Amino acid sequence: VATRFSGAIRRRPLARAMVARACLEVVITLLGGDEVGRFELPPDARVSDLRDVVAAERAWPRLSQSYVAGERLLREEDQPLAPDGACVLSEGEPLSLVLVLGREQNVALASSGACLEGTLFGSDAKPLLQFDTAFPAEDWGDCCFDVPPEKRLGSELEAHLRQARQEWSEDTEQLTALPDEGGVLVRLPAGGAHLMRIGFTCSPWDREYGHECTVSVSVDGRMWAEVGEIVTPCLPPCAKPEDVKVQTAFVEVPAMLAGRRQRYLKLDWWDSAPGDRRLYFVYAVGYA
C-alpha cells in the first residue's frame, strides 16, 4: 500500500495506516477489471496527488491518466477525489476509481475539430491541420508526429501530397504561407488538451532561414502564455534542390502549462517578412 503525505510516498501495512490517522483509501482498476493497486492519500487529495503516486508506482505519464468515479470524470489537476471528504478508512468503503490511460496524439487536426483562426481563417483546406489525411494512421501508425523518413525529400513529399488529395496538386495548395500579421493561430478541439510539445514542418525551399518562432498557448484565446522558441531549421547553403529534405522542429511545453488544458496555440515569426516562411504541417502533441 502506497501512502503519500506532505509530498512523500512511503509504504506501510494497511492496518497500521488505519490506526495512525484518517485518510482516503483509493482502489484503482483498469477498464478490463485488473487491479492497479490500493493507495492511501489525505482526505482532501486531488487528481494531481493521485497522478503523482501512480506515476511513481507504475511509470505511467501523469497527464495520460484520467479516472472515472461512478458518473464523475476526473481529469483536471485540481479536481478533488472525494468532494465531500467522507471517504476515510475508518468510516466506510474505499473510493473505487477506474483508470483510463490516454495515448499521446496530435490534436492539431481538422478531423478532430481543430481549425485556423485570425488571418489564416478559412485556410483549412490546406495540409496544415490535415497530417492524418496525408499520412493515415492505418498506413503509417497512429503515433506518427513527423513526416516519415522515406517521404522527407521535398520532391517525394510533394508527390505524396498530390496523391493524397486531388486539391493538393500544386505547391501553393500544399504550403501555408505566413500571414502579414497575427502569426499562425490554431483553435484546438472542444475541451482542449494537455499539450506536451508543439512543432511544425517547414518548406525546405524558403530562403529566409534561422528565424526564431515564438510559441504561445492560451486557455481562452485572450490571455497567452509563452511556451518557448523554436529556431527554424536551416538549409545547408550548398544543398541541391533535388536533395533538399523537409525538416520538423518542436518545443517542449513546460510542466506548469502542460498541466492545464489549453484551447489555443499560436506560432509567431516576429522578424520574418510575409511569404518568407511556409509550412506543411503544425503539430500539437498531448493528451485530449
Side-chain angles (χ1 to χ4, degrees), residues 3-268:
T3 308
R4 183 181 187 278
F5 296 111
S6 303
I9 301 173
R10 60 185 183 274
R11 290 188 169 275
R12 58 167 54 175
L14 182 60
R16 289 178 58 192
M18 292 176 62
V19 174
R21 60 178 296 179
C23 57
L24 173 66
E25 182 187 6
V26 179
V27 179
I28 301 176
T29 58
L30 297 174
L31 283 173
D34 294 336
E35 184 171 306
V36 174
R38 294 171 176 258
F39 303 93
E40 297 172 18
L41 297 139
D44 59 351
R46 299 181 179 273
V47 170
S48 58
D49 300 311
L50 184 57
R51 282 174 170 166
D52 287 340
V53 173
V54 174
E57 289 282 318
R58 293 298 189 98
W60 287 324
R62 293 183 72 262
L63 296 177
S64 71
Q65 305 169 29
S66 297
Y67 295 91
V68 178
E71 297 182 354
R72 297 171 58 223
L73 176 61
L74 304 173
R75 65 178 187 177
E76 305 301 333
E77 288 275 85
D78 59 352
Q79 278 184 276
L81 297 179
D84 57 6
C87 295
V88 292
L89 285 177
S90 58
E91 295 182 11
E93 295 297 320
L95 175 64
S96 296
L97 300 178
V98 176
L99 169 61
V100 181
L101 285 172
R103 290 187 299 174
E104 279 193 342
Q105 57 183 294
N106 177 18
V107 296
L109 296 175
S111 61
S112 299
C115 63
L116 293 166
E117 294 198 343
T119 310
L120 291 178
F121 178 79
S123 301
D124 299 307
K126 294 189 174 186
L128 195 67
L129 302 183
Q130 296 197 53
F131 185 85
D132 57 338
T133 300
F135 298 99
E138 56 266 26
D139 298 327
W140 300 92
D142 56 5
C143 290
C144 185
F145 306 133
D146 190 2
V147 176
E150 59 267 42
K151 297 297 181 182
R152 289 178 187 168
L153 195 65
S155 57
E156 289 287 340
L157 181 57
E158 277 192 337
H160 178 81
L161 292 177
R162 282 196 297 270
Q163 292 180 346
R165 286 195 64 175
Q166 184 177 0
E167 297 87 343
W168 297 343
S169 59
E170 303 292 336
D171 66 341
T172 54
E173 297 161 341
Q174 297 177 359
L175 289 157
T176 300
L178 292 184
D180 294 350
E181 58 183 21
V184 178
L185 176 59
V186 179
R187 175 163 55 87
L188 299 175
H194 294 291
L195 301 179
M196 307 304 291
R197 57 192 186 278
I198 298 169
F200 55 82
T201 298
C202 57
S203 165
W205 295 292
D206 294 341
R207 293 301 171 184
E208 293 293 335
Y209 293 98
H211 290 310
E212 291 183 347
C213 168
T214 301
V215 181
S216 305
V217 293
S218 175
V219 173
D220 56 12
R222 295 187 296 272
M223 301 293 292
W224 292 87
E226 184 173 323
V227 172
E229 293 183 336
I230 303 174
V231 176
T232 305
C234 294
L235 177 71
C238 59
K240 298 178 181 179
E242 61 269 23
D243 296 332
V244 172
K245 294 184 178 182
V246 299
Q247 298 186 61
T248 299
F250 280 95
V251 63
E252 299 290 328
V253 178
M256 182 178 65
L257 296 177
R260 301 191 66 188
R261 303 183 71 84
Q262 307 293 340
R263 188 71 198 283
Y264 297 84
L265 69 87
K266 184 165 57 174
L267 308 175
D268 282 304

